[in-house]
Amino acid sequence: MESDKKPTLTSNNCAKAYEDSLQVPESASAIPKRRQDLLKWNGWGYKDSHFFVNKNEQGEFTGERYNISGTIMPGMKDFMMRKVSIDLNKKAPAQPELTARDIPVPITNNEFTSEIKKAGISFSDDAQDRLFRGHTLHEIFILREGRFERLPDLVVWPEKHEDVVKIVELAMQHNVVVIPFGGGTSVTGSLLCPVKETRMIVSLDTSQMKKILWVDEKNLTACIQSGIIGQDLERKLMEKGYCTGHEPDSMEFSSLGGWVATRASGMKKNVYGNIEDLIVHFKTVTGRGVIEKSCVVPRMSSGPDLHHFIMGSEGTLGIITDVVMKIRPLPECRKYGSIVFPDFESGVKCMREVAKQRCAPASIRLLDNDQFQFGHALKAENKSIISGFMEGIKKLYITKIKRFDLEKISVATLLFEGNKSEVAAQEKRVYEIAAQFGGIPGGEENGQRGYMLTFVIAYLRDIALDYKVVAESFETSVPWDRLLDMCRNVKDRITRECKERGLQHAPYVTCRVTQTYDAGACVYFYFAFNYIGTANPVHMYENIENCARAEILANGGSISHHHGVGKIRQKFLEPTISAPGVGTLQAVKEFLDPKNIFANGNLMIDVKSKI
Amino acid sequence: MSDNQSRNVWIKIDNPLGPNTLAKYKDIYEDVLDDRRLSSDLKFCLRNQENVPKFKYNTERSSSDIKEQVLKSDRVRYVIEHLISDKKSDKASVEKEAEEILAEMAHNFNMGSIRFFAFFMVKVFKALFRRVYVNADGIQMLRELIKEYPVLFIPTHRSYFDFLLISYICYEYEIPLPAIAAAMDFSNMKFFGWLLRQCGAFYIRRSFGTDKLYWAIFTEYVQSHIRNGDRPVEFFIEGTRSRTAKSYVPKVGMLSATLESYFKAEVSDIMLVPISISYEKILEESLYAFELLGIPKPKESTSGLFKARNVLNTDHGTVHFHIGTPISLRQWSVDGNLDRIVHSLEPRYINSLTDDENELSKKLAYHLVLEQQKMLVLSPWTLIATVLIQAKGGMVHIKELSKEVDWLKRQLFNLGAYVDWPANVQVENVIEHYANLHSNIVRVREDGIFEILSQNSVKRGKKLLQDEVFLNGATNVMLSSYRNQLMHVIVRVCLVSVVVNSCQSTSLKIVDMLEQYAFLERLLSREFIFISGKTKEDFNNAVIWLQHVGALHIEDEEGNIKFSLNKHIAFFSAVLEPFLISYWVLCQHLLSLPVDVHGRALAKKHKEIAIDAQQLGLKLLQDSVIKNHEILNLDMLSNGLHSLIDMGTMYKDKRVEENYVSPNHRLVSGIAKKLATLVETPSWTQIGNYTNKPITQSLSSKL
């Protein structure tokens, strides 16, 4: 056997990759260069972590990474049977790992490849490297059941800004397509390669640009390479006593560059802001050279803000490299909380009031009843009599004394950050507002569980797929006055569309309000259905999601709050930003990328504008 | 009930259509009264309401909760603030006005009254009707639908009893009773006005054109019911009871105000349920007839309704109540490419429907009327009436009548109509039965001759109306209202027949036919419901049908149509004759108006012109220049006038909020000439004698 330090390797390229990561110990990442060694190639997250139904027909979560790892969830199976009508006897196991034979033969461009080699930039055409893509349902379903029509032909790993400049120059020179790849957590189809592309496609994997280049404690800024993933960034800053406070639900795997390219939003934006509030400066390598500002200043008036052109450009204009970001001292105190409301409507009213008074804690989220019940179903079996007893008392209090209907209640989870007195004051204020709307405190533990579940919820799709259920989430932003109607109408529409398409079982649709703003909120929908008896579940899912999005727009909601447009929402772009708007984006694209080497086909590309 | 005195020799079975021979179940229908005749009314009205389905998103609220929420709504507050800031009024008085409007409008739904209503109505219905047939599948569908969607009931409106029947049937089948949009005049009816309010009727003023506050309160009140799905909302798309028993041109205002809830995405869909109620004998038939003749109707009153013809002691035959297939507004708007995203930029309480949405509402309104028509049940009496109107001198032998009615029945079946023809009963027996049911209109003499009766003289105020021509006219108008009930089935075929019938040669180019057809359709578009843009399709279908029955055949590729005059063409063109002659007389009247110095006739109000034209018709009738009594029907004359206005043949003036019109001589005479080629009219010289005389005598002096 080989030495203990090296895991079993399957190709030479990867051996090199592993050595590379060992050479720079100061920036060691939680995720190896060869991701598939640690992460699932055809599902969400770590290989060692997944849900399954054990031989006693109880739900269980494996591994040791999360709080619920290793726990047994007696309620889960029933919930899945009741809500998405799974049949334990009808499994749809994923296909075995794909090999080079199962994927398209790469298109080669020898001049480009040899120049890359000459420049000393790491690259690979290994099947597994080429296969590691995004997490849209469509992509995952192909990995489990089918074959990709088009994949990147080569993967390159630049390590610094200059490498990226070199790659883009060569791509321009040799007419090669470059698709940037950060953490691969996209759920908009933005990492899918256009099937009709005949040029060589290079996946520019930023994962090795993962250093924090400098930290400026006077201005509280840090210059960070764009490939760093969220968990590494926070961990490394924490060592110095800082944080960025940017915590999207995908922060374990998603990258800084990806956040900028999609206009990401973090859970704690109420304290730290969304990505556009956090960024002070960044470089973008385009076909015409590098776009950047000449100074690192908090604000300036110099015409339209170029940052805002690139933020949300989804890889269509260039590659984001070094990013200067705000950092904050670590908060002294972090406290969870939860509130139980008699129904979703009163919860929403409370959130609106909290937003109005601008006293939202770092995070405040409201789960609808279905989601509350789902969280309940994922509860571990009671390990002690005492905690079981306490659960009973709590339930008794809520249902018998407060007379809440368990089929109607909704729950808000809270996260407070700051120094002790600030947190205490905030808590008092929020709970007071909650009381006005009939909300009662539901305890710290429930809040904490809620936030932990956000990380785990992404793993659920894999077990759902195991049992012939397709599932996905989508999000939007909406003005306050239309929020309730929108949630109800979208759920209604989905249910009806499923029925009209002859699905045997009713779908599971649930939503939660995840962010509050002065003028509105962000709403997440989760949607799953049992696809037994349908020919093309992904296609059906996409159709229904499109209907749901049309319903969202009709209800005054937006195309997306932070996931972006990608490929799956392109048809809603023009209705959203107007035909001249699309034309503007296209004109900028034409100037910056005359050869269309950033041809990932996202956003405004290929949108047939009316102009 | 049967009148044994008028028994005739050819009747084989004693009272062949007596109550015992009508089945409780018939085709898709079941009789709702049958069980009630066998069980206690008290028990019926006290039964519990546990099985009544509820809209899934409904929040329970009382009538006063609704009022309070309406007053506090964004929409109403917005308008109130506007009125205050426009200095139109101060806060206290606008708010007071709002409260008064709402008090006048709102229903006061409560279960106690419903029980009383049920107890009372079941007795009334049992006395009035032999059977009230309801399609059972519609009931089941409704019960499910109510749970899932906000529902609108869109019934036909031909009698006061429409309200009562719908609510009664809902009670019977454990469907939530509707909130009914009723006209304000009903609220003044002593007992019913109150009872209906208790049972969910809310009252709306007949016209409130520019009153923003009224409009806001009304819209909010209706939409509030839609959003919360408290109960189905019921309104009559024709706006008022049809006096002529054919569908009125739909009113779109109420409909679009209701649909706004969907356009603004307050609800995910609205289901519109057309309902058709067919009466064998309309309770208000003689009231309507006199009203159509221009004899002022007595004020809406309960005692008036029941006294009118000793109603409760008269047999009113059967009623068919048909609940149609629900129309999904969402589907309708998806098909119409309507994008609701346009409402994202403004608060939803600001009144702002787009042109597309108004257009869609209008199309939907017409569609709903056509859907209602499809479900109407034709009583054999409507066939008898149609044939009788064509009888020379108002008399016909029963043998011939039977032959004709039987022929017409086959044509109607062939056209897809539901004729309520009893199985295994001789045609003569059927006719005899209906002659009994309508013994106020016809009489069968001992020699088997049918004759149309004249109406008894009536008292209006202190005056006694006894002019023979008028009283004859009343019967004819009554009879025509029964013919009208089947007009929607045959009208397109009739139009083609008129065109063919008027042709001097034996063949015709199809394009020319279409042109004439389109002219007639336009002219009669206030009379019958046509969908704009479907003229050609309708025409083709009618031609194909006539071809199918052998009345026409297409001769060659160029679309020459060959025909010989035959039964179909003769009969169906004759059906339209009364309309065309009346319209022609109307044109003659307009052309006879003296022209002043500006080259125009003196502008007059619509109503005045119609009454004057009626006077001309009356004289022509008295002197037997024309035989068509329907010329006295003011509704027809007014429709004609409106069509002429729609066709741009009239000058329009708006004076003090009222429309005044005067004819464009050249254009009106063009129409008159065209009509004269399509239908046989009295000669110019005959008419000239009448029209040159100024008309001074007014109707009231005749009374």
Side-chain angles (χ1 to χ4, degrees), chain A residues 488-489 492-493 496 551, chain B residues 57 265-266 268-269 328 330:
Chain A
R488 194 191 56 235
N489 289 343
D492 222 61
R493 176 84 183 262
R496 180 157 159 180
E551 189 68 31
Chain B
Y57 299 127
E266 287 171 336
S268 69
D269 200 353
S328 151
R330 161 185 300 290

Side-chain angles (χ1 to χ4, degrees), chain A residues 46-111:
Chain A
Y46 301 104
K47 277 181 174 174
D48 57 15
S49 303
H50 61 91
F51 285 97
F52 75 107
V53 178
N54 67 21
K55 58 181 187 299
N56 299 326
E57 299 204 334
Q58 289 175 318
E60 212 176 316
F61 193 76
T62 60
E64 296 175 336
R65 293 174 188 276
Y66 302 94
N67 274 353
I68 68 161
S69 299
T71 59
I72 291 171
M73 294 154 281
M76 180 173 142
K77 185 204 73 176
D78 272 357
F79 185 86
M80 286 177 68
M81 288 175 69
R82 213 176 57 228
K83 292 290 180 178
V84 284
S85 317
I86 61 153
D87 181 343
L88 290 182
N89 299 319
K90 288 187 183 157
K91 268 194 96 169
Q95 63 184 343
E97 196 155 324
L98 298 173
T99 65
R101 269 179 313 166
D102 304 317
I103 65 173
V105 177
I107 295 170
T108 53
N109 185 321
N110 292 330
E111 294 96 20

Side-chain angles (χ1 to χ4, degrees), chain B residues 558-597:
Chain B
E558 279 145 38
N560 282 315
I561 287 192
K562 202 177 166 198
F563 49 85
S564 49
L565 287 184
N566 55 54
K567 169 91 183 171
H568 288 89
I569 300 292
F571 184 89
F572 287 120
S573 62
V575 170
L576 273 189
E577 220 167 73
F579 294 89
L580 299 178
I581 291 184
S582 300
Y583 277 37
W584 182 81
V585 171
L586 171 69
C587 290
Q588 294 311 321
H589 165 68
L590 289 170
L591 293 172
S592 72
L593 293 175
V595 171
D596 72 3
V597 281

Side-chain angles (χ1 to χ4, degrees), chain A residues 345 479 481-482 485-486 488-489 491-493 496-497 499-500 550-551 553-557 575-576, chain B residues 56-57 148-149 263-269 271 328 330-331 334 339-341 343-348:
Chain A
E345 189 178 342
D481 69 316
R482 309 190 61 143
D485 286 346
M486 185 197 73
R488 194 191 56 235
N489 289 343
K491 288 181 189 177
D492 222 61
R493 176 84 183 262
R496 180 157 159 180
E497 294 290 340
K499 204 171 171 186
E500 279 172 10
E551 189 68 31
L553 296 191
N555 279 267
T576 300
Chain B
K56 59 184 176 182
Y57 299 127
E148 293 294 317
Y149 304 99
F263 296 140
K264 302 245 172 115
E266 287 171 336
V267 292
S268 69
D269 200 353
M271 284 291 179
S328 151
R330 161 185 300 290
Q331 199 52 52
V334 168
D339 197 349
R340 291 177 293 160
I341 198 171
H343 293 297
S344 292
L345 298 179
E346 261 184 354
R348 292 181 290 179

Side-chain angles (χ1 to χ4, degrees), chain A residues 471-537:
Chain A
E472 182 80 284
S473 64
F474 51 92
E475 40 71 62
T476 188
S477 49
V478 66
W480 282 114
D481 69 316
R482 309 190 61 143
L483 193 151
L484 278 169
D485 286 346
M486 185 197 73
C487 292
R488 194 191 56 235
N489 289 343
V490 169
K491 288 181 189 177
D492 222 61
R493 176 84 183 262
I494 289 175
T495 310
R496 180 157 159 180
E497 294 290 340
C498 288
K499 204 171 171 186
E500 279 172 10
R501 285 169 167 77
L503 282 174
Q504 290 175 16
H505 304 289
Y508 176 69
V509 197
T510 156
C511 71
R512 64 178 185 204
V513 183
T514 62
Q515 291 290 8
T516 63
Y517 293 87
D518 289 350
C522 168
V523 178
Y524 244 89
F525 289 95
Y526 295 86
F527 163 38
F529 64 85
N530 188 315
Y531 67 77
I532 286 178
T534 60
N536 191 340

Side-chain angles (χ1 to χ4, degrees), chain A residues 24 27 35 44 81 83 88 101 104 127 141 163 167 200 293 311 343 388 397 470 541 582 589 594:
Chain A
V24 269
S27 51
R35 292 179 171 85
W44 182 263
M81 288 175 69
K83 292 290 180 178
L88 290 182
R101 269 179 313 166
F141 206 81
D163 290 350
I167 294 167
M200 176 162 105
K293 295 178 183 175
M311 270 191 282
D343 51 34
Y397 174 70
V470 288
Y541 172 83
V582 171
K589 162 87 180 167

